[in-house]
Short mmCIF file of all heavy atoms in Angstrom, two decimals:
data_model
loop_
_atom_site.label_atom_id
_atom_site.label_comp_id
_atom_site.label_asym_id
_atom_site.label_seq_id
_atom_site.Cartn_x
_atom_site.Cartn_y
_atom_site.Cartn_z
N HIS A 258 114.19 82.45 163.34
CA HIS A 258 114.93 82.62 164.61
C HIS A 258 115.70 81.43 165.11
O HIS A 258 116.75 81.54 165.74
CB HIS A 258 114.00 83.19 165.62
CG HIS A 258 113.63 84.60 165.48
ND1 HIS A 258 113.10 85.40 166.48
CD2 HIS A 258 113.73 85.47 164.42
CE1 HIS A 258 112.94 86.65 166.10
NE2 HIS A 258 113.30 86.68 164.83
N THR A 259 115.23 80.26 164.72
CA THR A 259 115.90 79.03 165.22
C THR A 259 117.29 78.92 164.49
O THR A 259 118.15 78.24 165.08
CB THR A 259 115.07 77.76 164.86
OG1 THR A 259 114.83 77.78 163.38
CG2 THR A 259 113.70 77.87 165.64
N GLN A 260 117.52 79.62 163.37
CA GLN A 260 118.77 79.54 162.77
C GLN A 260 119.80 80.53 163.45
O GLN A 260 120.99 80.48 163.23
CB GLN A 260 118.55 80.01 161.21
CG GLN A 260 117.84 78.93 160.49
CD GLN A 260 117.63 79.40 159.16
OE1 GLN A 260 116.64 80.13 158.85
NE2 GLN A 260 118.44 79.01 158.14
N GLY A 261 119.29 81.41 164.35
CA GLY A 261 120.11 82.32 165.10
C GLY A 261 120.77 83.40 164.29
O GLY A 261 120.45 83.57 163.10
N PRO A 262 121.63 84.13 164.91
CA PRO A 262 122.33 85.23 164.21
C PRO A 262 123.23 84.88 163.15
O PRO A 262 123.67 83.65 163.03
CB PRO A 262 123.17 85.91 165.45
CG PRO A 262 122.56 85.39 166.66
CD PRO A 262 122.04 84.07 166.32
N LEU A 263 123.45 85.78 162.26
CA LEU A 263 124.30 85.45 161.00
C LEU A 263 125.31 86.63 160.93
O LEU A 263 124.95 87.75 161.05
CB LEU A 263 123.51 85.33 159.78
CG LEU A 263 124.22 85.10 158.49
CD1 LEU A 263 124.90 83.75 158.54
CD2 LEU A 263 123.31 85.37 157.29
N ILE A 264 126.60 86.28 160.72
CA ILE A 264 127.69 87.24 160.57
C ILE A 264 128.43 86.97 159.27
O ILE A 264 128.91 85.84 159.04
CB ILE A 264 128.70 87.27 161.75
CG1 ILE A 264 127.88 87.61 163.06
CG2 ILE A 264 129.79 88.28 161.48
CD1 ILE A 264 128.82 87.39 164.24
N ARG A 265 128.55 87.99 158.39
CA ARG A 265 129.08 87.80 157.13
C ARG A 265 129.96 88.99 156.79
O ARG A 265 129.57 90.15 157.18
CB ARG A 265 128.12 87.60 155.91
CG ARG A 265 127.34 86.23 156.07
CD ARG A 265 128.18 85.08 155.49
NE ARG A 265 127.40 83.86 155.71
CZ ARG A 265 126.44 83.44 155.03
NH1 ARG A 265 126.02 84.07 153.93
NH2 ARG A 265 125.98 82.27 155.21
N THR A 266 131.06 88.79 156.02
CA THR A 266 131.75 89.98 155.53
C THR A 266 131.18 90.39 154.20
O THR A 266 130.95 89.53 153.35
CB THR A 266 133.26 89.56 155.37
OG1 THR A 266 133.81 89.17 156.57
CG2 THR A 266 134.10 90.66 154.78
N VAL A 267 130.94 91.69 154.11
CA VAL A 267 130.40 92.18 152.87
C VAL A 267 131.32 93.31 152.42
O VAL A 267 132.33 93.62 152.98
CB VAL A 267 128.93 92.73 153.03
CG1 VAL A 267 128.00 91.59 153.34
CG2 VAL A 267 128.85 93.80 154.15
N GLY A 268 131.03 94.00 151.33
CA GLY A 268 131.85 95.03 150.74
C GLY A 268 132.10 96.16 151.71
O GLY A 268 133.25 96.77 151.68
N SER A 269 131.16 96.48 152.54
CA SER A 269 131.27 97.71 153.45
C SER A 269 131.76 97.33 154.84
O SER A 269 131.86 98.23 155.66
CB SER A 269 129.91 98.40 153.56
OG SER A 269 128.83 97.50 153.82
N GLY A 270 131.98 96.05 155.10
CA GLY A 270 132.49 95.65 156.39
C GLY A 270 131.93 94.36 156.93
O GLY A 270 131.64 93.40 156.07
N THR A 271 131.55 94.30 158.15
CA THR A 271 130.98 93.07 158.69
C THR A 271 129.48 93.35 158.99
O THR A 271 129.02 94.19 159.72
CB THR A 271 131.62 92.75 160.08
OG1 THR A 271 132.95 92.57 159.92
CG2 THR A 271 130.93 91.50 160.69
N ALA A 272 128.68 92.62 158.28
CA ALA A 272 127.26 92.52 158.34
C ALA A 272 126.68 91.49 159.32
O ALA A 272 127.18 90.40 159.35
CB ALA A 272 126.59 92.28 156.98
N GLU A 273 125.85 91.93 160.14
CA GLU A 273 125.30 90.93 161.18
C GLU A 273 123.74 91.03 161.12
O GLU A 273 123.14 92.12 160.99
CB GLU A 273 125.69 91.36 162.60
CG GLU A 273 127.16 91.45 162.86
CD GLU A 273 127.43 91.94 164.24
OE1 GLU A 273 126.94 91.39 165.24
OE2 GLU A 273 128.23 92.89 164.32
N LEU A 274 123.11 89.78 161.17
CA LEU A 274 121.66 89.72 161.19
C LEU A 274 121.32 89.09 162.63
O LEU A 274 121.76 88.01 162.93
CB LEU A 274 121.10 88.82 160.12
CG LEU A 274 121.11 89.43 158.69
CD1 LEU A 274 120.60 88.36 157.75
CD2 LEU A 274 120.23 90.69 158.65
N HIS A 275 120.56 89.84 163.42
CA HIS A 275 120.18 89.38 164.71
C HIS A 275 118.73 89.31 164.84
O HIS A 275 117.99 90.27 164.46
CB HIS A 275 120.77 90.38 165.73
CG HIS A 275 122.19 90.34 165.91
ND1 HIS A 275 122.88 89.46 166.74
CD2 HIS A 275 123.18 91.18 165.34
CE1 HIS A 275 124.20 89.62 166.66
NE2 HIS A 275 124.42 90.78 165.90
N PRO A 276 118.20 88.15 165.44
CA PRO A 276 116.78 88.20 165.64
C PRO A 276 116.17 89.17 166.57
O PRO A 276 116.88 89.59 167.53
CB PRO A 276 116.64 86.74 166.34
CG PRO A 276 117.85 86.01 166.05
CD PRO A 276 118.97 87.06 165.92
N ASP A 277 115.07 89.73 166.21
CA ASP A 277 114.40 90.64 167.08
C ASP A 277 113.58 89.88 168.17
O ASP A 277 112.64 89.08 167.73
CB ASP A 277 113.40 91.48 166.19
CG ASP A 277 112.70 92.63 167.12
OD1 ASP A 277 112.64 92.46 168.28
OD2 ASP A 277 112.31 93.63 166.49
N ARG A 278 113.92 90.04 169.39
CA ARG A 278 113.34 89.14 170.52
C ARG A 278 111.86 89.44 170.62
O ARG A 278 111.04 88.67 171.14
CB ARG A 278 114.02 89.33 171.75
CG ARG A 278 115.41 88.75 171.81
CD ARG A 278 116.13 89.03 173.08
NE ARG A 278 116.42 90.50 173.20
CZ ARG A 278 117.11 90.99 174.24
NH1 ARG A 278 117.51 90.23 175.14
NH2 ARG A 278 117.38 92.30 174.24
N ASP A 279 111.35 90.67 170.14
CA ASP A 279 109.96 90.97 170.24
C ASP A 279 109.11 90.54 169.14
O ASP A 279 107.80 90.71 169.21
CB ASP A 279 109.83 92.53 170.53
CG ASP A 279 110.52 93.00 171.76
OD1 ASP A 279 110.51 92.22 172.73
OD2 ASP A 279 111.09 94.08 171.77
N ARG A 280 109.74 90.22 167.98
CA ARG A 280 108.87 89.81 166.80
C ARG A 280 109.47 88.54 166.16
O ARG A 280 110.59 88.40 165.82
CB ARG A 280 108.96 90.97 165.84
CG ARG A 280 108.47 92.29 166.39
CD ARG A 280 108.51 93.36 165.30
NE ARG A 280 107.36 93.25 164.50
CZ ARG A 280 106.20 93.78 164.72
NH1 ARG A 280 105.88 94.31 165.89
NH2 ARG A 280 105.21 93.54 163.81
N PRO A 281 108.61 87.46 166.22
CA PRO A 281 109.03 86.19 165.77
C PRO A 281 109.79 86.15 164.35
O PRO A 281 110.63 85.26 164.12
CB PRO A 281 107.83 85.29 165.74
CG PRO A 281 106.85 86.07 166.63
CD PRO A 281 107.13 87.41 166.49
N TYR A 282 109.42 87.02 163.46
CA TYR A 282 109.93 87.02 162.12
C TYR A 282 110.79 88.32 161.98
O TYR A 282 111.11 88.70 160.75
CB TYR A 282 108.90 86.97 161.04
CG TYR A 282 108.12 85.67 161.16
CD1 TYR A 282 106.92 85.52 161.83
CD2 TYR A 282 108.60 84.48 160.48
CE1 TYR A 282 106.24 84.43 161.83
CE2 TYR A 282 107.98 83.37 160.52
CZ TYR A 282 106.72 83.24 161.22
OH TYR A 282 106.14 82.07 161.31
N GLY A 283 111.11 88.99 163.07
CA GLY A 283 111.87 90.23 162.96
C GLY A 283 113.47 90.02 162.95
O GLY A 283 113.95 89.23 163.72
N TRP A 284 114.11 90.93 162.12
CA TRP A 284 115.55 90.81 162.10
C TRP A 284 116.13 92.22 162.02
O TRP A 284 115.60 93.09 161.34
CB TRP A 284 115.99 89.98 160.79
CG TRP A 284 115.73 88.64 160.91
CD1 TRP A 284 114.53 88.01 160.41
CD2 TRP A 284 116.46 87.53 161.40
NE1 TRP A 284 114.59 86.65 160.67
CE2 TRP A 284 115.77 86.36 161.35
CE3 TRP A 284 117.74 87.62 161.96
CZ2 TRP A 284 116.33 85.11 161.73
CZ3 TRP A 284 118.33 86.31 162.48
CH2 TRP A 284 117.58 85.20 162.32
N GLN A 285 117.29 92.37 162.81
CA GLN A 285 117.93 93.66 162.72
C GLN A 285 119.25 93.49 161.96
O GLN A 285 120.01 92.57 162.24
CB GLN A 285 118.31 94.14 164.14
CG GLN A 285 118.89 95.51 164.14
CD GLN A 285 118.96 96.23 165.48
OE1 GLN A 285 119.69 97.20 165.66
NE2 GLN A 285 118.27 95.64 166.47
N LEU A 286 119.52 94.38 161.05
CA LEU A 286 120.82 94.28 160.30
C LEU A 286 121.68 95.36 160.82
O LEU A 286 121.37 96.55 161.09
CB LEU A 286 120.51 94.73 158.77
CG LEU A 286 121.68 94.94 157.87
CD1 LEU A 286 122.59 93.69 157.71
CD2 LEU A 286 121.30 95.53 156.58
N LEU A 287 122.95 95.02 161.11
CA LEU A 287 124.04 95.94 161.60
C LEU A 287 125.18 95.72 160.66
O LEU A 287 125.44 94.59 160.09
CB LEU A 287 124.50 95.68 162.97
CG LEU A 287 123.42 95.78 164.09
CD1 LEU A 287 122.74 94.41 164.39
CD2 LEU A 287 124.13 96.20 165.38
N VAL A 288 125.89 96.83 160.30
CA VAL A 288 127.10 96.78 159.56
C VAL A 288 128.18 97.44 160.41
O VAL A 288 128.02 98.56 160.82
CB VAL A 288 127.03 97.44 158.12
CG1 VAL A 288 128.31 97.45 157.40
CG2 VAL A 288 125.91 96.70 157.31
N ASP A 289 129.25 96.73 160.66
CA ASP A 289 130.27 97.17 161.54
C ASP A 289 129.80 97.72 162.91
O ASP A 289 130.10 98.75 163.35
CB ASP A 289 131.15 98.26 160.86
CG ASP A 289 132.06 97.57 159.78
OD1 ASP A 289 132.30 96.44 159.85
OD2 ASP A 289 132.55 98.40 158.97
N GLY A 290 128.77 97.09 163.38
CA GLY A 290 128.17 97.46 164.71
C GLY A 290 127.15 98.51 164.65
O GLY A 290 126.49 98.84 165.75
#
Side-chain angles (χ1 to χ4, degrees):
H258 280 199
T259 57
Q260 295 172 277
L263 177 68
I264 301 176
R265 292 279 173 81
T266 299
V267 294
S269 51
T271 300
E273 302 175 53
L274 288 176
H275 289 277
D277 184 336
R278 289 176 293 182
D279 297 326
R280 305 184 74 86
Y282 296 95
W284 291 91
Q285 184 172 167
L286 169 67
L287 299 90
V288 176
D289 285 345

